[in-house]
Amino acid sequence: MLVGDITYLPTAEGRLHLARRLDLATREVVGYAMADHHRAELVVDALEMTHGRGGLESGYVVHSDRDSEYTSTQFRQLTTELGLRQNCGRTGSRFDNAAAESFRALLKEKTGTRIRPDRATARTEVSFFIETFCNHRRLRKHKTFGYLTPAEASQRDQHTPAA
């Protein structure tokens, strides 16, 4: 199952919106996109990145909240084309998308809430945070996750035969 959400980082040029997709099994960020808007194209771009990286199988559940970007025709068409099943949380319930919400908290904890000088700086920080820290350095400190980083857990899962 993939979970997704949108957050933003403040910059002197205005907000930089970040849409991301997390693999719920490994907590790896498997796709993301950034833009100065939060229209449907933003979440579509994040899902297309996920698909482009491979490993997105037909039948996967794609979960999000009920924001208009996720209920848009554009996003629904892409999920259908990719053979995915879309699921949305209940209206007004942050608990239904808790894993995606916890990523936002981690991002703000590790990168800060300061106003960046421009969107380019914010993009660089977010990309570094996701690709370096989040996926490859952050340990899942629980025996269920085998004390592995999300990328290591993903690699392990790819080589584990199906039961």
Side-chain angles (χ1 to χ4, degrees):
M1 176 185 275
L2 302 176
V3 297
D5 199 14
I6 301 172
T7 193
Y8 71 89
L9 287 90
T11 77
E13 296 177 333
R15 292 179 173 181
L16 177 69
H17 298 272
L18 165 67
R20 72 264 179 206
R21 284 276 151 206
L22 279 82
D23 181 325
L24 199 54
T26 64
R27 298 301 198 269
E28 182 178 20
V29 178
V30 292
Y32 60 96
M34 294 176 266
D36 63 354
H37 62 80
H38 58 91
R39 295 186 297 269
E41 302 93 69
L42 181 63
V43 296
V44 166
D45 288 348
L47 188 56
E48 285 176 340
M49 180 186 199
T50 305
H51 175 67
R53 287 183 164 188
L56 190 58
E57 298 176 20
S58 181
Y60 264 41
V61 175
V62 178
H63 179 80
S64 64
D65 56 24
R66 291 186 179 273
D67 287 346
S68 62
E69 299 85 3
Y70 295 109
T71 58
S72 69
T73 302
Q74 195 176 357
F75 188 75
R76 287 179 184 223
Q77 284 176 342
L78 180 60
T79 58
T80 301
E81 284 173 25
L82 296 176
L84 306 174
R85 296 181 347 198
Q86 187 177 8
N87 182 54
C88 292
R90 295 169 293 179
T91 302
S93 176
R94 298 183 101 184
F95 300 111
D96 287 351
N97 207 19
E101 297 285 348
S102 69
F103 173 86
R104 181 183 65 189
L106 180 65
L107 172 69
K108 292 190 177 185
E109 174 190 326
K110 297 296 183 185
T111 66
T113 58
R114 71 189 185 290
I115 297 175
R116 277 89 178 159
D118 51 46
R119 289 187 182 106
T121 300
R123 281 178 195 277
T124 301
E125 283 184 26
V126 169
S127 295
F128 182 82
F129 169 76
I130 290 171
E131 299 296 347
T132 303
F133 173 76
C134 204
N135 286 346
H136 296 282
R137 289 189 186 160
R138 177 177 55 111
L139 291 178
R140 302 298 300 157
K141 297 177 183 174
H142 193 279
K143 66 181 178 181
T144 301
F145 296 106
Y147 302 98
L148 302 172
T149 68
E152 290 168 339
S154 179
Q155 189 71 18
R156 176 200 62 198
D157 291 353
Q158 288 176 3
H159 299 315
T160 302

